[in-house]
Amino acid sequence: MRSLRPDELIRPRCRLGHAVSVKQSTGSTNDDARRLAESGAAEGVVVLAEEQSAGRGRLDRRWLSSPGQNLLFSVVLRPACLDRPGLITLAAGVGLCAALRAEGVDSRIKWPNDLRAGGRKLAGILCEAGAGGAGGCEGVDGDFVILGIGLNVNQTDFPPGLSATSVAAELGRSIKRPELFRRALAELERALDLAEADPPALLAEWMENAEVRDRRVRAETPGGVIEGEAVGVDEDGALLVREDGGGVRAVVAGDVVLER
Ligand code: BT5
């Protein structure tokens, strides 16, 4: 498959993607984007790589991706809601899900940060906050968030033990990556605008597209097990679960499984 070129990815004059650099290989695009942000890169600058030697998820987990097949990129964000990193993660899920659905994939958001189709993982989101560099917005001078996305696009073979799928596997045809990239950035931009202007609307759109919608869940949290019906998310990104007794508890961290 041929390599991506910046000129087919760029979105001139848009909030996200007005500048895109493409690397054949790197450690982690999140680290590259962080270095750019620390030296003053504006919001919306993107670093994309065809291959990562140290692609990562949360908690030092690895992100594995065959070279030249998928979309691996990180965006510098300097949003107005920088004090609410949970909201930014939710916005990323909403935006990416909308782009995948527009592509024809029946994608759902799995709390807190996975995109899945048919119960398999299609994409992962890694938001990392940082400080430094110019161009911050009011009250949060110079601070930024790096939004990293790994989206399985044309890869159809995955390492054993990984419950993964891709856009191509779901649709049964190969995908033009530049179009999907630009669509993803456009939807991420829309969701980010919404997170800033109307957080309740963003939370509602998240729930509309969530796997947990109208489902019973069991969350294993550091503070014990919470079981009940998932009823929403809050502005910190916590999952709200109504327990059988009627009280609503916020799941801030932990693993959530669907019960039925
Ligand atoms: C994530 O973490 O899902 C966030 C992944 C973010 C990756 C992007 S790539 C561009 C940017 N640069 C980086 O270095 N990172 C970001 P988490 O929820 O912790 O899930 C990680 C787990 O997903 C792993 O432990 C595997 O089980 C699984 N996994 C790894 N690679 C996968 C793949 N290609 N498809 C599906 N699942 C995968």
Side-chain angles (χ1 to χ4, degrees), residues 27-31 52 54-59 61-65 70-74 113-114 121-126 147-152 155 158 161-165:
S28 157
T29 56
N30 264 38
D31 294 339
Q52 295 183 122
R56 62 172 184 272
R58 295 167 303 153
L59 312 167
R61 296 180 189 138
R62 297 286 312 274
W63 187 258
L64 304 167
S65 177
N70 300 319
L71 286 171
L72 307 168
F73 62 95
S74 301
N113 68 341
D114 289 349
K121 187 156 165 172
L122 196 58
I125 295 166
L126 179 66
L147 167 62
I149 291 182
L151 170 58
N152 300 328
Q155 185 173 350
F158 292 94
L162 218 56
S163 177
T165 187

Side-chain angles (χ1 to χ4, degrees), residues 190-209:
R190 179 189 65 81
L192 199 62
D193 289 346
L194 191 61
E196 290 171 341
D198 189 354
L202 190 268
L203 301 184
E205 188 176 340
W206 189 94
M207 199 58 185
E208 278 287 300
N209 291 287

Side-chain angles (χ1 to χ4, degrees), residues 9-24:
L9 303 176
I10 206 156
R11 302 176 66 240
R13 294 175 301 282
C14 292
R15 180 175 178 182
L16 305 184
H18 51 82
V20 180
S21 65
V22 175
K23 299 186 163 204
Q24 284 315 303

Side-chain angles (χ1 to χ4, degrees), residues 63-88:
W63 187 258
L64 304 167
S65 177
S66 292
Q69 308 249 305
N70 300 319
L71 286 171
L72 307 168
F73 62 95
S74 301
V75 192
V76 176
L77 300 181
R78 299 185 185 276
C81 51
L82 205 50
D83 55 330
R84 299 235 115 120
L87 199 55
I88 298 169

Side-chain angles (χ1 to χ4, degrees), residues 107-129:
S107 159
R108 299 265 157 222
I109 311 170
K110 178 176 189 291
W111 185 86
N113 68 341
D114 289 349
L115 273 300
R116 303 213 298 180
R120 290 171 183 270
K121 187 156 165 172
L122 196 58
I125 295 166
L126 179 66
C127 279
E128 296 179 313

Side-chain angles (χ1 to χ4, degrees), residues 123-240:
I125 295 166
L126 179 66
C127 279
E128 296 179 313
C137 47
E138 207 181 336
V140 285
D141 241 331
D143 292 354
F144 57 84
V145 168
I146 303 300
L147 167 62
I149 291 182
L151 170 58
N152 300 328
V153 182
N154 283 318
Q155 185 173 350
T156 49
D157 278 338
F158 292 94
L162 218 56
S163 177
T165 187
S166 65
V167 182
E170 292 302 310
L171 299 181
R173 59 177 168 84
S174 72
I175 306 300
K176 291 185 178 144
R177 291 186 296 157
E179 283 80 348
L180 181 55
F181 172 84
R182 292 197 311 269
R183 176 174 264 172
L185 278 197
E187 288 292 349
L188 288 168
E189 186 173 308
R190 179 189 65 81
L192 199 62
D193 289 346
L194 191 61
E196 290 171 341
D198 189 354
L202 190 268
L203 301 184
E205 188 176 340
W206 189 94
M207 199 58 185
E208 278 287 300
N209 291 287
E211 264 186 1
V212 292
R213 185 180 164 199
D214 301 327
R215 297 286 295 263
R216 275 187 70 83
V217 296
R218 177 186 163 86
E220 294 186 5
T221 77
V225 172
I226 299 176
E227 260 179 304
E229 188 193 345
V231 290
V233 273
D234 70 15
E235 290 191 14
D236 295 321
L239 183 68
L240 303 175

